[in-house]
Structure formats: structure tokens, C-alpha cells
Amino acid sequence: MFSALTSRRSLRLVLQTRRLTSDLAPQSGRAVVPLWINGESLKSSTGRTVVHKHSKTGEETCEVVVAGKEEVDQAINSSKLAFQDWRNVNGWERKGILQNVGKLIRDRSNLLSEALLSDTIFSDLVMAQDQKSALHLLDGAANTAISVEGSIPQTVDGSFSMVLRQPYGPVLSIPAFNYPLTLALRSIAYPLACGNTVLLRASPLLPQFFQLLGPLFQEAGLPKEALQVLNFSEKDVGERVEQIIAHSDVRMVNFTGSVKLGKILAAKCGEYLKPSLMELGGKSVAIVLPSADLKLAANNILFGAFLNSGQVCMSTEQVLVHSDIAEEFEKVLKETAEKAQWGEGMEMVRHRSGDGAKALYDDAVKQGAKILYSASSSSSTPTSTSFPPTILSSLPPTSKLLKEESFSPLLSLHRLPSTSSIIQHANSHSTGLTSSIFTNDYREALEIATDLESGAVHVNGMTVHDQHNLPHGGWKDSGYGRFNGQGAVESFTQTKNVRFVKEGMLPLDLLYKGL
């Protein structure tokens, strides 16, 4: 529904955006996706260009201008200069700008969706939910802008102390691709709301989408240097990212993505002593207990597992069901999946994602896992970018799927004999982003929730959930730091103690006496 552009208004918006990429790369005839530095589109750079191909069709869709060392330095210098002014803009003005961003997104919903589909494939449901979530997040970030507060603590010596919260400075933001608008705006809006400026690393999977964001924020009233949007080539992305982290004027990093890459970035931040916020992947569990509404549990678990083809860091990957009801629940879960009548293959964004899911599936089945449900058929033709929604049971302890986040439509079910063994299994994984408990015994739910090593626990709801006034982030290998509300304030500002001394004269004559 989002790709159907029928109104004159939508057509005008499409033409406006196409003008941003109307210049053609020499000798190629492809549209150029520029860098966004110092409030201007740069259609050439020392980094040259790379060709982007649609993840599903393989068609060459555009030529992407990538930042070299010179452009990165230019972006950092612009971001630092902008910070000197942006840090002093009052919260109410920042709030108004972020609200303007929301209005522009509402006006350009079709345009944003068209840009996404130009480079990859997303379902109408995901794009609609993504835009709804992004608008909700912007409301939260706008309120965050007027919620940055300090404190006046009591002192033992009668002095007057103020604890201020102040922004860090230029922030490197690296969002994930899977909920593109929400995650991109989250990595931009919260740092800006707290008075920082942003260097945004655009996802290489969605260049035509990301190139809309710089002009959009500037039209909303953001000072032109406060947001830089940078594209990097695959061959030198590591070098360019380290260049940014190492630069003395860049003060913080926020990253959303895989545990593997998060650890690399966190280590690099540690090397240069830069604070960071890491929102990383997980292996989210849904726990089903004897008193649960089994139909509700099956419905929410399947939705949480297969939403966006399982390409959500909060996706339900494991179902831990009490053995007293395991046989009955397996039947309900299978029947619920069959009634959904899914197509044989769920499309994914990254090239060869389907191959990765198949490798995990083949490894598990080869070692003895049982297929409880699969949307595939004997005539199915697997592709490198799709995989059928699948539920496996009796997963061997040596299978890769037991430990690795699949980021695909794969769900595993595990029978466990007791509540204590369920908690032990849930906590045995190295990650802990989110989880669910299905039960009608709320005392039991709260007891289990306090024992789970997870950043969020949802009772009788799916594992996928985010709300702008609730802290979002993980435990253990799922990262540290928090987005949303007070969590964002604590993550994107630092404290400064300003103390007014009541009596300033000190007894110099007592120094060294009695040593």
C-alpha cells in the first residue's frame, strides 16, 4: 500500500526527492547518492563511488558516493563547529525541531517507502509499523529534549552544589537496517535532543533511503552542520570508522547491530576511551507455563518470531515450555501456524541471508532436530534471500542454532521439566535483550521476571516491544546503555558538579603536621 503513489502530493514529493539524485554518474547513467556534509549534498569525493545492487533482484540501482579520509575530517570539523551553538539551544526549541521532523515524515511516508523498495524488499506491514514506531519515537525524543535535568544535592560542609547534565559533543551513530526509519531516527534524535551533534553512518544496504534524512532534518529547522550523513565502502569502512572514533573531537559512539560487530566497536571505543551505547542482538526466549492461555501464547510467539522475517534483534528465537503442557502446546502452536497460511519463503534484506538460515537449519536437522512446522513444500525453491517460517523441536545441544542468533524465520521449541530448569536454560545464553512469560499466575510471573537476565520481560506479550518512555537495552552480550526517556538522558549526557564553597580559607599551617 505504501508503494502506490496516486495523489498529486505524493507525485510532487517523489519528484522533489529524485532531484536530490538527478545527477548521473559519469559513463554509467545511474543515479548518484551523495554524502551529506555541512548541510550540502556532495556528489563527488576522494573515496569515489561504489555501485549498489538490489538485494533481491541483483539489479544495479544507484552509484553511492563514499567518504574518504578528507570528507570524514570535513564532517567531523563541521560537527564540532555546530556543537558550539547547538549545545546552547534550549530544550523547547529542540523539541519543536524534532516535532517538525515528525510532520515531514507523515507527509513523506510514501516517499520513504519508495526509497526503501528501490534498494531492497520490505513488506507493507513492516513499513507501516516502522513509520508508526518512528513517529512514536520522535514524540519521545521531543519530550526528552525538555527533560534533561540536573540536581542540587545536600552537602556536608554547607556548600552549594549543582549537578549539571551536559551533552558530550559530536556523536558517531551507527544504526541497524532492519527497522530502518525507527532505528535511524533513534540514533539521530536522542543525541540531538540532549544537545549533541551527529555523524550518521548510513547503512550500505539502504543508500537511497538514508540520503533523504539529512535534507529532511534541515528542512525541519536543524542547523545544517548538526547532522552529517556518511557512506562508506565495504573495503575501507573499518578504517573510516576508526578514524572517527580516534578523532579527539568525536566524544561518543552509539551502535545498534550484531554482538560480533558490537564487541569490535566496543573494543575500539575502549582503546580511545570513548563512551559508547551498544544495543546488540539476542536469542530471546518465550516461556510458557502450565497456567498460560495457550492460544494467546502461540499467537504472540509466532508473531514475535516471524515479524519482519525474524529480522528483529528482539525476535522470539526460543520457546521454553513446561513439560506438563508441552504436548498440548506443541499441537496448538502447529495448528496456529498452519492457519496463518504463510507463503513458502519469507524475504530478507541482506544478500545470502537465506543461505545462512538454511545452514543453521541443515546443521540442526542433521544432528537430530525434529521439524514441528515448516511452510516449505516439496516443490519449494529456496533462494539466497528468503527462507520459509520454520519451527524445530528436540534441538541437539551441539547444534549451532541453539547458541547463534538466526536473524531469520527460525524458531526452536524446548521442553523443560520445571520452572527452575526453564530459568536456568534462559539464563545460560550469553545474551539478554528481551523475553516473554506466558502465565495467568502473576506472582509466579514476577518471581521469574526478577530472575531472568534480560533487559526487558513481557508478561503475556511478545518479545518484540519498544516504547519511548521505557528504557530499552540489553544485559550481558546484548550490550549496555539505554535508549528512550531517562535512559537516553543518562546515555547521551554527562554530569558536571559545580560547587559554590561557603568558607574558602584553609588551614595551611596544619599541612604535614603529625605525619
Side-chain angles (χ1 to χ4, degrees), residues 202-215:
S203 169
L205 299 172
L206 309 169
Q208 296 187 79
F209 166 79
F210 271 83
Q211 63 109 16
L212 300 178
L213 299 181

Side-chain angles (χ1 to χ4, degrees), residues 301-336:
I301 287 169
L302 292 174
F303 200 97
F306 301 139
L307 173 65
N308 200 19
S309 306
Q311 299 170 116
V312 183
C313 58
M314 297 176 280
S315 290
T316 308
E317 293 237 352
Q318 299 184 87
V319 185
L320 312 183
V321 57
H322 197 288
S323 57
D324 288 356
I325 56 163
E327 186 172 346
E328 182 182 1
F329 180 70
E330 285 186 16
K331 180 181 177 182
V332 172
L333 187 67
K334 183 177 180 180
E335 289 176 350
T336 305

Side-chain angles (χ1 to χ4, degrees), residues 467-487:
Q467 184 173 315
H468 70 63
N469 62 327
L470 300 177
H472 178 71
W475 285 29
K476 303 189 293 186
D477 282 2
S478 288
Y480 47 79
R482 294 294 181 265
F483 287 103
N484 301 341
Q486 187 59 30

Side-chain angles (χ1 to χ4, degrees), residues 105-117:
I105 286 172
R106 288 185 179 92
D107 289 342
R108 299 177 186 180
S109 61
N110 290 334
L111 189 60
L112 292 162
S113 296
E114 184 186 68
L116 285 174
L117 297 178

Side-chain angles (χ1 to χ4, degrees), residues 142-290:
N143 288 328
T144 296
I146 58 172
S147 303
V148 180
E149 298 176 345
S151 61
I152 302 177
Q154 296 187 43
T155 59
V156 296
D157 61 357
S159 61
F160 178 79
S161 282
M162 298 187 298
V163 178
L164 309 179
R165 279 207 166 268
Q166 294 186 304
Y168 282 98
V171 171
L172 170 61
S173 291
I174 308 177
F177 67 88
N178 50 308
Y179 238 54
L181 186 59
T182 299
L183 296 180
L185 291 181
R186 185 177 75 174
S187 70
I188 300 170
Y190 279 123
L192 289 177
C194 294
N196 305 281
T197 52
V198 175
L199 298 137
L200 179 71
R201 185 267 168 119
S203 169
L205 299 172
L206 309 169
Q208 296 187 79
F209 166 79
F210 271 83
Q211 63 109 16
L212 300 178
L213 299 181
L216 189 150
F217 270 83
Q218 185 166 302
E219 187 175 340
L222 185 70
K224 66 178 185 177
E225 301 94 346
L227 173 62
Q228 322 285 327
V229 183
L230 302 174
N231 308 309
F232 299 129
S233 67
E234 185 177 352
K235 68 179 179 63
D236 65 358
V237 59
E239 184 178 351
R240 296 284 77 79
V241 169
E242 181 168 3
Q243 178 187 348
I244 296 174
I245 296 174
H247 200 289
S248 60
D249 290 335
V250 176
R251 300 301 175 84
M252 186 194 167
V253 176
N254 82 84
F255 170 74
T256 300
S258 69
V259 173
K260 180 180 179 181
L261 191 51
K263 287 183 176 181
I264 294 172
L265 286 169
K268 194 59 64 177
C269 289
E271 180 181 346
Y272 294 102
L273 284 178
K274 300 294 173 73
S276 60
L277 189 166
M278 296 284 160
E279 198 265 271
L280 310 179
K283 191 76 177 171
S284 299
V285 300
I287 295 169
V288 185
L289 299 173

